[in-house]
Amino acid sequence: MPVPALLARFLVAVFIALGLSAGQVVAAAPEPNPEAATGVTDKALVGARRQMAVSANPLATDAGLQMLRAGGSAVDAAIAMQLVLNLVEPQSSGIGGGAFIVVYDAGGARLHTFDGRETAPAAIRPERFLRDGQPLPMAEVVNSGLSVGTPGVLRALELAHRRHGRLRWDTLFEPAIALAEQGFPVSARLHAQIAGNRQLFAQEAARAYFYPGGEAAPVGHLLKNPALADVFRRISREGARAFYEGEIAHDIVRAVRSHARPGELSPEDLAGYRAIEREPLCAPYRDVQLCGMGPPSSGTVAVGQILGMLRQHAPQALMPGSPEAVHYFAEAGRLAFADRDRYLGDPDFGNIPAAELLDARYLHWRGALIDSRISMGTARPGDPAQLLARFGDGETADVPSTSHLVAADASGNGVSMTSTVEAEFGSKIFVRGFLLNNQLTDFSLKPGDADGRPVINRIEPGKRPRSAMAPMIVLRDGKLFMLIGSPGGSSIINFVAKTLIAVIDWRMDLQQAIALPNMGSRNRDTELERGTVLEALQQDLRRRGHRVNIMPLPSGVHAIMVTRDGLLGGADPRREGKAAGD
């Protein structure tokens, strides 16, 4: 039985007071903790009165804060941060990839969402990833031209800036251009990922940049990227068109088509790409509204479903880190992922029942399937829109590498943005100082199931692959309350949902909620973060029928909360990010 809420809050306080390390429930502390279970230092909750930026790298955060101090908007800060991240965190995101941007406009108390997701080339066919009727080995698809979609992030940034920017477009490029020309010190995280990625080494252009002297760029090495500086300078002068047409576009297409496993990307695909401003999607939870990107993102739907299904089980009365908390959270995740896999994809290519999946009556019915005593194992999708018989389950890889940032400006505007190149270092194809995505692997590798039913997330010309990215904005009484999101492939959904429950239900401060051990299920195993107190729950969970997997779950949650006294920012201790503000 769940413990009473009052006792739960007392136990949380005791749990935090024990001084557990990062990746466990922690009290935010500014001093490094060499014993940290996740191999990183703890981070402190950061406060600010007027404005704040949080991103996955300190240099990017500094660029965002520089824009805010110059009178820029939250969108201006987000653009400057993303451009620097392209340089200092190339394994995760960049102009060769895609993004979702969620904006809160304080003047009109309105939300806006911008879809910069990659698209499949016009020449693609649904059987592209099949051989003799079977999916190609992932190794043949991931690191190749086969998987490169038309990049979308620059068009999305340009559209968001046109709607919500204050500073000149070229001003936003200045920090990234300066760092690219002068160089930046290679971080321990970047070095480790370069050193551990032999597929990157195998690509000649990438090898020349990332492996000076034939070895992975060492920690502290000053890495300069004049080619990217030139690209940024052109885009700063001419707009995104300089990327999508002309010499840069020509070089992108040539790199994809001349690869040993070439893809179909064409000059027409690049020139014809458009970012889309879509209607935001919101779901109520207790006294807040959880808002974000609708399909082709599955993030807002799945996060809203998890919390909506848990509501009837009183998560506020569950003790964080208890077997009961993990059990209920994992079971809700199974149900949400079952629906996600069957029904969510590009809304321009089919009937996507996002509203039906978030209907309160449907979520109550689905949540009632959770048994307090035993795991359901593998959940089946529901049928809120009478579409169950029309679509089949797909086969989609999960090869995550993504970044997330948030910004809040002095006028009360906010941005939550998640961007990606898909796998670590994307396709490994390096063009003019940036990497191209391998985003087409987010489509189902097979277009239909064994019964001949089409998969909603099958690949089609011009289509945008389903994403788990979940940049979200939480409203309270119609006003900005929280900006949040994370990298992590399909685990993003669990990372964001866990943090929201910790803040809203368990009353943790933002930094404690981010550092709370990661857990959940993607309708497979029940996943527990390695090196945390959750490992002690294995036996109890197995008695409840869970198949437990202890694994690294390196979230990168970055968030800002609005309070009566100003802003609070948190950065995930599992990564090298930073929150900063005035």
Side-chain angles (χ1 to χ4, degrees):
M1 294 292 293
V3 295
L6 184 61
L7 177 58
R9 286 194 289 271
F10 170 74
L11 290 172
V12 170
V14 173
F15 204 30
I16 293 170
L18 293 176
L20 299 174
S21 57
Q24 301 173 27
V25 181
V26 296
E31 294 300 320
N33 177 6
E35 303 287 328
T38 54
V40 294
T41 58
D42 291 344
K43 288 184 169 70
L45 186 66
V46 176
R49 295 288 298 176
R50 301 173 57 250
Q51 54 198 17
M52 178 169 279
V54 191
S55 81
N57 186 279
L59 294 172
T61 297
D62 291 344
L65 189 56
Q66 179 182 335
M67 297 301 113
L68 293 173
R69 288 171 173 169
S73 67
V75 164
D76 293 329
I79 294 170
M81 287 192 281
Q82 178 57 66
L83 295 171
V84 172
L85 287 172
N86 190 146
L87 179 69
V88 302
E89 199 193 33
Q91 70 272 28
S92 297
S93 71
I95 59 176
F100 293 134
I101 309 170
V102 185
V103 178
Y104 177 77
D105 176 6
R110 292 188 58 194
L111 289 168
H112 303 266
T113 61
F114 300 93
D115 176 356
R117 186 68 164 157
E118 300 89 339
T119 56
I124 207 79
R125 293 296 174 263
E127 299 79 18
R128 186 64 182 93
F129 296 137
L130 297 180
R131 180 187 295 145
D132 300 325
Q134 297 301 314
L136 289 169
M138 187 49 58
E140 291 188 26
V141 179
V142 173
N143 304 312
S144 74
L146 292 173
S147 61
V148 179
T150 310
V153 67
L154 270 173
R155 285 289 190 201
L157 293 175
E158 187 175 61
L159 181 58
H161 180 260
R162 193 178 304 134
R163 301 278 197 272
H164 304 285
R166 288 188 199 139
L167 300 178
R168 288 166 48 106
W169 173 255
D170 58 353
T171 300
L172 311 180
F173 286 75
E174 291 173 359
I177 291 172
L179 282 169
E181 290 180 333
Q182 298 165 15
F184 68 95
V186 172
S187 69
R189 183 168 180 265
L190 177 57
H191 165 74
Q193 291 184 293
I194 296 172
N197 201 306
R198 302 312 294 175
Q199 295 86 358
L200 184 67
F201 183 83
Q203 301 281 348
E204 183 177 353
R207 182 167 64 248
Y209 176 69
F210 290 106
Y211 301 85
E215 298 293 332
V219 176
H221 172 77
L222 202 64
L223 200 56
K224 298 181 180 181
N225 195 334
L228 184 59
D230 179 66
V231 168
F232 280 165
R233 190 170 284 106
R234 292 190 185 199
I235 298 168
S236 74
R237 291 194 305 259
E238 303 170 32
R241 182 177 177 179
F243 178 88
Y244 288 94
E245 301 176 27
E247 295 178 2
I248 298 172
H250 176 269
D251 287 352
I252 292 171
V253 172
R254 182 175 60 183
V256 170
R257 288 182 169 264
S258 65
H259 194 275
R261 293 189 293 276
E264 286 88 351
L265 189 70
S266 72
E268 292 75 20
D269 292 320
L270 286 162
Y273 183 88
R274 296 294 180 268
I276 301 173
E277 182 171 1
R278 298 190 187 272
E279 284 296 314
L281 184 65
C282 293
Y285 183 69
R286 292 166 66 83
D287 66 337
V288 301
Q289 290 282 323
L290 310 172
C291 300
M293 195 79 217
S297 173
S298 64
T300 303
V301 173
V303 170
Q305 281 198 307
I306 290 173
L307 272 67
M309 288 185 283
L310 286 176
R311 186 170 185 172
Q312 64 190 282
H313 298 289
Q316 69 273 19
L318 298 172
M319 175 182 166
S322 68
E324 291 79 14
V326 175
H327 171 76
Y328 278 107
F329 188 79
E331 295 301 283
R334 293 180 209 281
L335 293 162
F337 273 84
D339 282 351
R340 171 186 184 265
D341 292 345
R342 181 62 63 96
Y343 297 121
L344 295 179
D346 188 337
D348 297 330
F349 284 76
N351 182 9
I352 307 299
E356 291 88 343
L357 290 169
L358 289 171
D359 179 79
R361 289 169 296 180
Y362 175 69
L363 292 180
H364 190 271
W365 173 77
R366 287 287 273 174
L369 299 175
I370 299 174
D371 188 320
S372 64
R373 300 160 297 175
I374 192 75
S375 173
M376 66 185 71
T378 301
R380 297 294 301 158
D383 193 12
Q386 288 73 57
L387 295 172
L388 183 63
R390 288 184 53 188
F391 300 113
D393 289 325
E395 184 173 321
T396 305
D398 191 44
V399 281
S401 197
T402 303
S403 197
H404 181 76
L405 59 87
V406 289
D409 64 33
S411 299
N413 305 305
V415 172
S416 182
M417 173 178 171
T418 311
S419 57
T420 183
V421 289
E422 183 58 1
E424 187 177 274
F425 299 102
S427 64
K428 319 300 183 293
I429 299 175
F430 196 62
V431 181
R432 287 180 174 250
F434 61 89
L435 288 153
L436 297 177
N437 69 85
N438 67 318
Q439 208 67 62
L440 301 187
T441 59
D442 262 359
F443 285 111
S444 172
L445 297 183
K446 57 183 184 180
D449 68 5
D451 297 322
R453 294 176 298 183
V455 174
I456 194 71
N457 189 40
R458 65 192 181 278
I459 194 167
E460 297 178 83
K463 193 174 186 179
R464 299 173 190 233
R466 182 183 63 212
S467 171
M469 294 191 293
M472 296 185 71
I473 290 179
V474 183
L475 304 178
R476 178 170 279 162
D477 298 324
K479 298 178 181 178
L480 183 61
F481 171 58
M482 189 187 305
L483 307 159
I484 189 170
S486 178
S490 59
S491 292
I492 289 171
I493 291 162
N494 287 330
F495 297 156
V496 173
K498 173 217 74 174
T499 308
L500 288 171
I501 288 171
V503 170
I504 297 167
D505 291 310
W506 296 335
R507 307 294 183 183
M508 291 185 177
D509 77 35
L510 191 58
Q511 192 64 45
Q512 292 165 354
I514 292 170
L516 192 70
N518 287 319
M519 58 182 176
S521 174
R522 292 174 280 175
N523 207 18
R524 302 190 291 263
D525 298 344
T526 295
E527 299 166 347
L528 305 178
E529 187 174 5
R530 180 179 296 165
T532 72
V533 293
L534 294 186
E535 290 191 17
L537 306 183
Q538 294 178 69
Q539 187 174 353
D540 189 298
L541 291 169
R542 290 192 174 107
R543 281 198 298 266
R544 297 170 191 253
H546 292 260
R547 189 173 65 185
V548 176
N549 185 0
I550 306 295
M551 59 190 293
L553 290 171
S555 57
V557 177
H558 299 120
I560 293 173
M561 180 185 291
V562 179
T563 74
R564 285 175 296 183
D565 299 320
L567 305 170
L568 296 173
D572 205 311
R574 300 163 183 85
R575 301 202 183 203
E576 59 192 9
K578 183 178 85 168
D582 298 318

